[in-house]
Amino acid sequence: MDRGKKIQLKRVFGYCWGTSFLLINIIGAGIFVSPKGVLAYSRMNVGVSLCVWAGCAVLAMTSTLCSAEISISFPCSGAQYYFLKRYFGSTVAFLNLWTSLFLGSGVVAGQALLLAEYSIQPFFPSCSVPKLPKKCLALAMLWIVGILTSRGVKEVTWLQMASSVLKVSILSFISLTGVVFLVRGKKENVERFQNAFDAEFPDISHLIQAIFQGYFAYSGGGCFTLIAGELKKPRTTIPKCIFTALPLVTVVYLLVNISYLTVLTPREILSSDAVAITWANRVFPSLAWIMPFAISTSLFSNLLISIFKSSRPIYLASQEGQLPLLFNTLNSHSSPFTAVLLLVTLGSLAIILTSLIDLINYIFFTNSLWSILLMIGILRRRYQEPNLSIPYKVFLPFPLTTIVIDVGLVVIPLIKSPNVHYVYVLLLVLSGLLFYIPLMHFKIRLAWFEKMTCYLQLLFNICLPDTSEEQMSEVQTVKK
């Protein structure tokens, strides 16, 4: 270790990086592959489907602004942990951290599997991708990204910025191509928009399902609760990033869907598993290979950022004494190497033992449960501390709206496809009590693990972080 170098997580990211970070978190594979879900539940009514996409943008803004209040009130990495600890107690906060160990690894495993599937798919044009090569490639991608993340924030920053530019450029290309086709005014391109609302209107149950499909494509706006401690001036940077990224995503998503509907009929969209690839085959057949590459690039950047942000709660848990001290260490690049290593290891096990569909369903279900609790915490703070002076207060109907959406995301899967595995997910969350009671409540210490920590510090060349006076004052403010 360099004795003259400060080893700590630093506030090094500003407005540009924060906006790029939010764009990558929101724009994933959804816009490339899932518009058919919105169109299907809209009963192939083009006008209704576009209204659903616009409405989902408003709903995404409400939930993102709710998360912004938490991040701004507790401007440190793992803000939701401190929020839950203050308003629900240390037990609930620990269960959130316990869940994040598996939730974070499940997210990165799902993204690695998607990345592998779209990377291999061009080599299997007439059949599905075999499981073994897909899982092997997913494991390789996961460990490569884990190594890059452990090299520090510089590598993450330039890769993220480059992938953001590429991702937005590809979506802009799809959008502009659709605009060109509309301007040409060919009958087959414009007729679907001339009488956009003439098709059958969906009933309320189908409309709700369409909203959930679109809302999934906008998810990821609450990411600042995980990395607020590494943003410069988070109280001003976070709102600026949100009000830049969300309108941009909304415009791009609407234009991309218009482009899909300009080139393809609603029935062609519904019959496609990957709408963007079908669109490319129709518009530029000789360049159709670019679209799988674009989706793979998009997923690679999402995987990179997911490992970066999901390692922070593990580091935080150790800093708070709720995980072994080993995970409260940084390497010479000021990266939480052991937290990244644990996340990648658990993600590898998830890739080997589970399927992609199961991962997506259980992750979304668990994430919705914690989102409901966070929104209840915001309402509870309004009731218990009405005169509390905080830098930013979200408009009160916003958390109420978010609660309604998240309750639907929890209840609908249980009604539509009841599965005993959802019970196992709840048991997994509660299993954290088996560790919390002896290790946290009764403060039992494992001497053998503390000895092993010393050897691992030497092996991995890691150490406890330096603490500056600024960080000490921030922690004291957060814990009040």
Side-chain angles (χ1 to χ4, degrees):
M1 288 285 185
D2 185 356
R3 293 289 182 185
K5 181 181 178 182
K6 285 281 187 181
I7 306 298
Q8 57 187 213
L9 293 183
K10 303 171 184 176
R11 294 193 180 277
V12 294
F13 302 126
Y15 164 74
C16 292
W17 186 90
T19 303
S20 172
F21 182 83
L22 188 55
L23 285 172
I24 285 182
N25 267 275
I26 296 174
I27 303 175
I31 189 58
F32 293 110
V33 298
S34 66
K36 75 171 187 177
V38 175
L39 191 60
Y41 285 112
S42 298
R43 298 291 185 130
M44 292 193 292
N45 190 309
V46 172
V48 171
S49 68
L50 293 176
C51 289
V52 167
W53 279 102
C56 288
V58 176
L59 296 177
M61 178 66 82
T62 63
S63 60
T64 302
L65 290 175
C66 291
S67 299
E69 177 177 328
I70 297 172
S71 304
I72 293 171
S73 301
F74 300 86
C76 57
S77 297
Q80 67 182 26
Y81 164 81
Y82 289 110
F83 184 83
L84 290 171
K85 187 176 182 180
R86 177 165 179 172
Y87 293 101
F88 295 99
S90 59
T91 303
V92 173
F94 175 80
L95 290 178
N96 177 257
L97 288 172
W98 172 257
T99 307
S100 70
L101 287 175
F102 302 98
L103 192 63
S105 60
V107 168
V108 300
Q111 290 174 339
L113 284 169
L114 273 172
L115 172 59
E117 184 168 344
Y118 280 97
S119 299
I120 298 178
Q121 186 63 58
F123 300 100
F124 298 89
S126 59
C127 61
S128 59
V129 177
K131 288 186 178 180
L132 183 59
K134 180 171 72 173
K135 290 198 172 189
C136 289
L137 181 59
L139 288 170
M141 291 291 187
L142 181 59
W143 282 93
I144 289 171
V145 173
I147 292 170
L148 286 173
T149 306
S150 66
R151 295 289 298 173
V153 298
K154 288 184 178 180
E155 282 75 7
V156 173
T157 301
W158 74 263
L159 280 172
Q160 177 200 327
M161 296 297 288
S163 61
S164 295
V165 172
L166 179 61
K167 186 183 295 189
V168 173
S169 299
I170 291 169
L171 292 176
S172 299
F173 172 73
I174 295 174
S175 303
L176 292 174
T177 303
V179 171
V180 170
F181 274 89
L182 281 177
V183 171
R184 286 181 177 178
K186 289 186 178 180
K187 182 179 179 181
E188 62 271 18
N189 294 331
V190 300
E191 63 182 1
R192 287 182 283 277
F193 300 99
Q194 290 174 340
N195 302 296
F197 292 94
D198 281 356
E200 178 187 359
F201 272 78
D203 56 36
I204 188 64
S205 62
H206 284 86
L207 184 61
I208 291 173
Q209 289 276 26
I211 290 172
F212 288 148
Q213 291 283 328
Y215 186 69
F216 175 76
Y218 285 98
S219 61
C223 55
F224 286 132
T225 59
L226 298 175
I227 54 96
E230 294 170 76
L231 288 174
K232 298 176 182 177
K233 301 179 180 179
R235 294 180 176 180
T236 56
T237 300
I238 291 175
K240 288 180 182 178
C241 294
I242 291 172
F243 285 108
T244 300
L246 263 297
L248 177 61
V249 170
T250 302
V251 172
V252 169
Y253 274 18
L254 285 172
L255 289 176
V256 167
N257 276 279
I258 289 172
S259 181
Y260 289 158
L261 289 164
T262 301
V263 174
L264 305 171
T265 66
R267 292 194 180 279
E268 287 174 329
I269 292 175
L270 294 186
S271 64
S272 172
D273 291 328
V275 180
I277 295 176
T278 306
W279 179 93
N281 286 329
R282 178 67 58 82
V283 178
F284 300 105
S286 61
L287 299 177
W289 60 271
I290 292 178
M291 203 52 65
F293 169 75
I295 297 174
S296 299
T297 304
S298 171
L299 291 169
F300 182 85
S301 62
N302 283 96
L303 178 60
L304 179 72
I305 293 303
S306 290
I307 292 179
F308 177 82
K309 69 178 184 180
S310 297
S311 62
R312 270 49 186 174
I314 300 173
Y315 173 79
L316 169 70
S318 179
Q319 198 172 62
E320 292 295 309
Q322 294 193 336
L323 279 180
L325 187 65
L326 176 65
F327 300 109
N328 184 31
T329 54
L330 301 173
N331 62 12
S332 58
H333 303 286
S334 294
S335 173
F337 173 79
T338 49
V340 172
L341 181 63
L342 176 63
L343 182 69
V344 171
T345 302
L346 291 174
S348 300
L349 291 175
I351 288 173
I352 294 170
L353 300 176
T354 61
S355 70
L356 177 60
I357 298 300
D358 289 339
L359 277 173
I360 292 173
N361 288 340
Y362 303 148
I363 287 167
F364 216 55
F365 178 80
T366 310
N367 207 25
S368 298
L369 288 175
W370 284 113
S371 179
I372 291 170
L373 201 60
L374 288 169
M375 296 307 106
I376 292 173
I378 291 176
L379 297 176
R380 184 175 179 179
R381 175 157 73 172
R382 292 285 198 280
Y383 176 76
Q384 291 181 342
E385 304 172 289
N387 299 320
L388 181 66
S389 177
I390 55 177
Y392 168 77
K393 285 186 179 181
V394 71
F395 185 44
L396 195 57
F398 286 5
L400 293 172
T401 303
T402 305
I403 288 175
V404 171
I405 296 170
D406 288 323
V407 167
L409 293 173
V410 170
V411 172
I412 286 179
L414 295 177
I415 295 175
K416 190 176 179 182
S417 56
N419 194 321
V420 71
H421 289 95
Y422 290 114
V423 178
Y424 297 154
V425 171
L426 293 175
L427 291 176
L428 176 63
V429 175
L430 296 176
S431 67
L433 295 173
L434 298 176
F435 293 85
Y436 178 82
I437 292 172
L439 298 178
M440 261 43 79
H441 184 73
F442 292 107
K443 301 186 184 300
I444 296 175
R445 291 289 175 262
L446 304 176
W448 62 269
F449 192 88
E450 292 177 359
K451 291 181 179 179
M452 187 175 70
T453 299
C454 296
Y455 293 112
L456 291 175
Q457 281 186 267
L458 293 172
L459 176 64
F460 295 131
N461 192 28
I462 53 180
C463 67
L464 293 174
D466 300 313
T467 305
S468 64
E469 293 182 2
E470 178 186 0
Q471 288 175 317
M472 286 296 293
S473 64
E474 285 175 0
V475 171
Q476 290 171 358
T477 302
V478 164
K479 291 184 177 181
K480 285 181 181 178

